């Protein structure tokens, strides 16, 4: 046995040495590639090309190392909104950048609140006297929103402008659960807390549908108002109503219909678009057809990364992005323990004088939300101002966290509120009976073994759970009331699970000001007494392990499709990811923590490309630890 143990230790040592050698080789390889490549420079008189790949999000999800190593399913990428906005703002002042190009062929969408922030940056860019051009093979709602800010909108000859507006269908499982004889026990407070309805109804309740309809109507009105303001020639309502007639008049051509409807300015190939730009900014160095003098977003971000303040006082930015869960979680998911730890780390950094908590989350675990809120309250008690900045969604648990802030910034299209709490516990006693299985046992108290998912929930346990939910809802209302200086009766009237758009939320005093992340940073800096002007910011987040960063550098090259999908295919894929996201959210509700503050109606309105990602196996996590 001693010989076997020694041999085993030898094998483990060999494995460790090989793993370390493999990772070192990867590291040296990437360093060699970087050192061997020429430094990135911004071309004089060129164009900044915003070639946004995938979705625009607040915080990108950590890449899946197994997919990178095995070449698994490629999902739409993620581009952080702050990177896009900072690049546009920098280019507006950069004398080397003559114009800006929106290359939207790879763009899949983003929350309207983030699109509004990007749109504001584009508007400011144009005030500097520089022009914006847009090109895509197909424009859907989000892509066209950005294109509407351009001086010229180009569309491929086989392209289309297909607008649908927010909204869509969800899944309801009551009939299926009845057939499986699964009992769903729901404990909630709030007429509009519809997150449990997929398990208890065959369709949405009238109250929930009325609230959701009001929300999507408001978001659509905001979208159309913004587009109409930026693009005078586009009458969206008329275009959508007359699209069949325009198609008939143009012989069935979507591109010609878009041109006649004033939605685009030119129909042309990508080569023709590039040739037009070459007349404005000059030809590209490679001499390829349609080439022009320009720099891509990622390259410009890298070349400009050292232009900001490198030291001194700063505002720290903490991201609460994605589902709020207990314990640790990677970027793109809001782990209560992870984010609370980051806030504690910010307190130890003497250069951080204020915090901005950037929230883009439909909620999740109540205990994790409270853990993050308490960490922010601790930061405030130690003299650190806290300002909340809402992204596309800051609802339920996301709003719970925001109550710790001194003030709250949101966009008119931000989805917020949903002040409510629920618990959902499925039980399987009838399912087991179908197979001749019965549950029995002994108890020392009425609550022994509770909640019993095998034998059902007793009235005593049910009363206890309902009382717990009501107590948590009362606590939620007290927190909101104290933070927003509102009486409890008023909080209850605007709570009960109701979801609001940002404009209405401001009227209801759930938010203080309109503005994006930059406005929140300025407010935090002012509260901290920092000098006006460009404020240094520090992203307070967990850096991926070095081996994972190396893998990401090696495998993050553009893997775009040979040709972008046509408009109908692109629309179908966007809806596919939306459906997967809602299905994943519904599954999380059924299997997640027992006490939740979550808005399922928000899920379809918050972009995500991470819903189908499979976590790496334990052995790969260990290897990359």
């Amino acid at each position: 046995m001693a010989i076997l143990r020694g041999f085993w230790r030898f094998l483990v040592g060999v494995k460790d040495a090989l793993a370390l050698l493999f990772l070192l080789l990867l590291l040296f390889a990437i360093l060699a590639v970087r050192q061997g490549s020429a430094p990135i420079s911004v071309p004089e008189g060129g164009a900044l090309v915003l070639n946004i790949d995938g979705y625009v999000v607040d915080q990108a999800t950590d890449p899946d190392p197994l997919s990178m190593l095995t070449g698994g399913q490629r999902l739409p990428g993620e581009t952080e909104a702050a990177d896009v906005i900072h690049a546009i703002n920098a280019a507006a002042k950069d004398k080397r950048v003559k114009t800006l190009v929106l290359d939207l062929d790879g763009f899949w969408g983003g929350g309207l609140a983030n699109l509004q922030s990007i749109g504001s940056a584009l508007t400011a860019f144009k005030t500097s006297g520089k022009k914006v051009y847009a090109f895509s093979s197909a424009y859907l709602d989000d892509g066209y929103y950005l294109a509407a800010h351009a001086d010229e909108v180009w569309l491929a000859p086989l392209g289309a402008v297909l607008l649908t507006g927010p909204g869509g269908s969800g899944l309801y499982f009551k009939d299926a659960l009845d057939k499986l004889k699964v009992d769903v026990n729901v404990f909630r407070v709030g007429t509009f807390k519809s997150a449990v309805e997929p398990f208890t109804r065959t369709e949405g309740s009238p109250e929930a549908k009325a609230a959701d309809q009001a929300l999507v109507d408001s978001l659509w009105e905001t979208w159309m108002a913004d587009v109409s303001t930026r693009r005078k020639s586009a009458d969206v309502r008329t275009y959508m109503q007359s699209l069949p007639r325009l198609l008939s008049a143009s012989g069935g051509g979507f591109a010609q219909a878009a041109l006649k409807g004033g939605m685009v300015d030119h129909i042309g190939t990508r080569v023709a678009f590039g040739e037009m730009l070459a007349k404005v900014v000059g030809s590209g160095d490679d001499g390829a057809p349609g080439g022009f003098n320009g720099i891509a977003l990622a390259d410009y971000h890298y070349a400009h990364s050292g232009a900001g303040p490198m030291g001194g006082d700063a505002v720290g930015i903490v991201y609460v992005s994605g589902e709020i869960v207990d314990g640790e979680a990677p970027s793109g998911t809001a782990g209560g323990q992870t984010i609370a730890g980051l806030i504690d780390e910010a307190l130890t950094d003497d250069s951080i004088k204020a915090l901005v908590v950037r929230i883009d989350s439909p909620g999740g675990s109540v205990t994790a939300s409270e853990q993050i809120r308490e960490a922010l309250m601790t930061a405030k008690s130690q003299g650190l101002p806290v300002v909340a900045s809402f992204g596309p969604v800051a609802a339920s648990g996301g709003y719970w966290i925001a109550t710790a802030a001194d003030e709250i910034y949101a966009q008119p299209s931000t989805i917020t509120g949903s002040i409510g709490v629920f618990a959902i516990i499925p039980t399987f006693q009838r399912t087991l009976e179908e197979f001749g299985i019965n549950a029995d046992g002994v108890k020392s108290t009425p609550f022994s073994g509770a909640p019993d998912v095998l034998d059902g929930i007793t009235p005593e346990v049910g009363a206890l759970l309902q009382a717990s939910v009501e107590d948590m809802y009362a606590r939620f209302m007290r927190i909101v009331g104290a933070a927003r200086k509102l009486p409890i009766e008023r909080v209850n009237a605007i709570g009960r699970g109701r979801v609001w758009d940002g404009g209405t939320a401001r009227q209801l005093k759930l938010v203080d000001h309109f503005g994006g992340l930059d406005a929140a940073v300025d407010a935090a800096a002012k509260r901290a007494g920092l000098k006006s002007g460009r404020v240094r910011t520090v992203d307070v987040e967990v850096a991926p392990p070095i081996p994972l960063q190396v893998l990401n550098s090696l495998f993050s090259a553009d893997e775009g499709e040979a040709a972008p999908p046509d408009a109908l295919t692109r629309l179908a894929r966007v809806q596919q990811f939306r459906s997967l996201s809602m299905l994943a959210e519904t599954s999380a509700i059924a299997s997640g923590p027992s006490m939740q503050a979550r808005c399922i109606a928000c899920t379809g309105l918050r972009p995500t490309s991470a819903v189908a990602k499979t976590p790496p196996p334990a052995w790969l996590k260990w290897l990359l630890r």
Side-chain angles (χ1 to χ4, degrees), residues 448-594:
S448 297
D452 193 339
V453 299
L454 300 179
D455 200 25
I457 294 177
T458 64
E460 294 87 352
V461 173
L464 183 68
L465 290 169
Q466 182 62 36
S468 177
V469 168
E470 291 176 359
D471 177 68
M472 196 64 68
Y473 178 62
R475 176 174 174 78
F476 200 166
M477 288 196 298
R478 289 195 298 271
I479 291 173
V480 174
R484 309 305 304 167
K485 297 179 174 58
L486 295 171
I488 296 298
E489 296 77 13
R490 180 58 178 161
V491 176
N492 185 44
I494 61 180
R496 293 179 288 174
R498 180 72 181 264
V499 185
W500 306 97
D501 65 273
T504 306
R506 186 183 181 190
Q507 296 174 10
L508 296 173
K509 298 184 179 180
L510 291 176
V511 302
D512 297 298
H513 311 285
F514 288 150
L517 180 59
D518 288 343
V521 168
D522 290 341
K526 183 177 180 180
R527 283 182 171 272
L530 302 184
K531 293 181 179 179
S532 59
R534 190 171 184 185
V535 179
R536 187 171 77 94
T537 60
V538 175
D539 287 344
V540 185
E541 55 187 356
V542 179
I546 292 178
L548 186 56
Q549 294 182 45
V550 172
L551 286 175
N552 193 33
S553 299
L554 288 172
F555 296 103
S556 61
D558 183 17
E559 301 174 22
E561 301 176 1
D566 60 80
L568 290 174
T569 301
R570 185 176 301 193
L571 180 61
R573 291 186 184 179
V574 169
Q575 294 302 328
Q576 174 192 9
F577 281 107
R578 176 183 178 275
S579 299
L580 286 171
S581 177
M582 295 190 72
L583 188 59
E585 182 77 4
T586 304
S587 175
I589 288 175
S591 60
S594 59

Side-chain angles (χ1 to χ4, degrees), residues 50-76:
L50 296 184
N51 49 337
I52 304 174
D53 179 27
Y55 289 99
V56 168
V57 298
D58 267 355
Q59 185 181 49
T61 307
D62 280 346
D64 179 359
L66 184 61
S67 294
M68 288 189 290
L69 287 172
T70 62
Q73 179 188 8
R74 184 177 185 270
L75 296 167

Side-chain angles (χ1 to χ4, degrees), residues 142-501:
D142 291 358
Y144 192 77
Y145 182 93
L146 294 182
H149 293 76
D151 295 283
E152 292 186 19
V153 180
W154 283 62
L155 178 66
L158 296 180
V161 178
L162 291 179
L163 307 176
T164 61
S169 300
L171 295 175
Y172 290 80
F173 304 98
K174 183 180 186 303
D175 284 347
L177 293 170
D178 286 345
K179 291 179 180 179
L180 296 172
K181 298 187 182 299
V182 176
D183 295 320
V184 178
N185 304 273
V186 172
F187 309 92
R188 68 172 179 174
V189 181
T191 308
F192 303 99
K193 200 62 181 176
S194 58
V196 300
E197 290 187 357
F199 306 99
T200 61
R201 299 179 60 91
T202 58
E203 61 183 8
S205 65
E207 297 85 358
K209 291 180 74 172
D212 292 346
Q213 187 66 55
L215 176 63
V216 298
D217 287 346
S218 175
L219 294 176
W220 186 233
E221 286 297 325
T222 298
W223 187 97
M224 286 195 293
D226 288 354
V227 168
S228 299
T229 300
R230 300 305 168 199
R231 186 168 177 81
K232 305 295 185 182
S233 63
D235 187 340
V236 176
R237 284 190 176 89
T238 301
Y239 174 75
M240 295 183 71
Q241 292 170 358
S242 59
L243 183 56
R245 178 182 58 78
L246 291 172
L247 282 172
S248 177
S250 62
F254 277 94
Q256 288 295 331
L259 183 64
K260 291 181 178 180
M263 303 298 288
V264 301
D265 300 299
H266 305 282
I267 297 175
T269 63
R270 177 173 286 277
V271 171
F273 179 69
E275 290 173 347
M276 178 276 296
L277 287 172
K279 296 177 181 178
V280 178
V281 298
S283 301
D285 294 334
D286 57 5
F292 59 90
N293 184 28
I295 183 171
L297 171 62
D299 290 339
Y300 186 75
H301 180 73
Y302 180 79
H304 205 268
S305 58
M310 299 302 293
D313 295 339
V315 173
I317 303 176
V318 178
Y319 290 89
V320 178
S321 186
E323 179 188 358
I324 301 172
V325 300
D326 294 308
E328 300 281 352
S331 298
T333 302
Q337 185 175 340
T338 299
I339 296 175
L342 291 174
I343 296 169
D344 292 341
E345 288 181 16
L347 285 172
T348 64
D349 188 338
D350 293 336
S351 69
I352 295 179
K353 304 301 181 182
L355 279 178
V356 170
V357 55
R358 175 68 175 185
I359 302 173
D360 179 23
S361 171
S365 166
V366 167
T367 54
S369 301
E370 176 62 8
Q371 186 177 16
I372 298 171
R373 189 191 74 89
E374 287 178 352
L376 290 171
M377 294 299 292
T378 299
K380 285 177 60 177
S381 69
Q382 297 189 22
L384 211 61
V386 176
V387 175
S389 171
F390 287 176
V393 173
S396 289
Y399 194 83
W400 183 302
I401 293 170
T403 58
D406 297 300
E407 54 185 318
I408 298 175
Y409 281 77
Q411 294 284 18
S413 60
T414 294
I415 303 164
T416 188
S418 192
I419 299 168
V421 180
F422 69 91
I424 180 169
I425 302 175
T427 55
F428 305 93
Q429 66 274 20
R430 291 193 298 132
T431 308
L432 295 175
E433 288 173 2
E434 283 291 302
F435 294 93
I437 302 173
N438 297 300
D440 195 12
V442 297
K443 298 181 179 181
S444 57
T445 74
F447 308 109
S448 297
D452 193 339
V453 299
L454 300 179
D455 200 25
I457 294 177
T458 64
E460 294 87 352
V461 173
L464 183 68
L465 290 169
Q466 182 62 36
S468 177
V469 168
E470 291 176 359
D471 177 68
M472 196 64 68
Y473 178 62
R475 176 174 174 78
F476 200 166
M477 288 196 298
R478 289 195 298 271
I479 291 173
V480 174
R484 309 305 304 167
K485 297 179 174 58
L486 295 171
I488 296 298
E489 296 77 13
R490 180 58 178 161
V491 176
N492 185 44
I494 61 180
R496 293 179 288 174
R498 180 72 181 264
V499 185
W500 306 97
D501 65 273

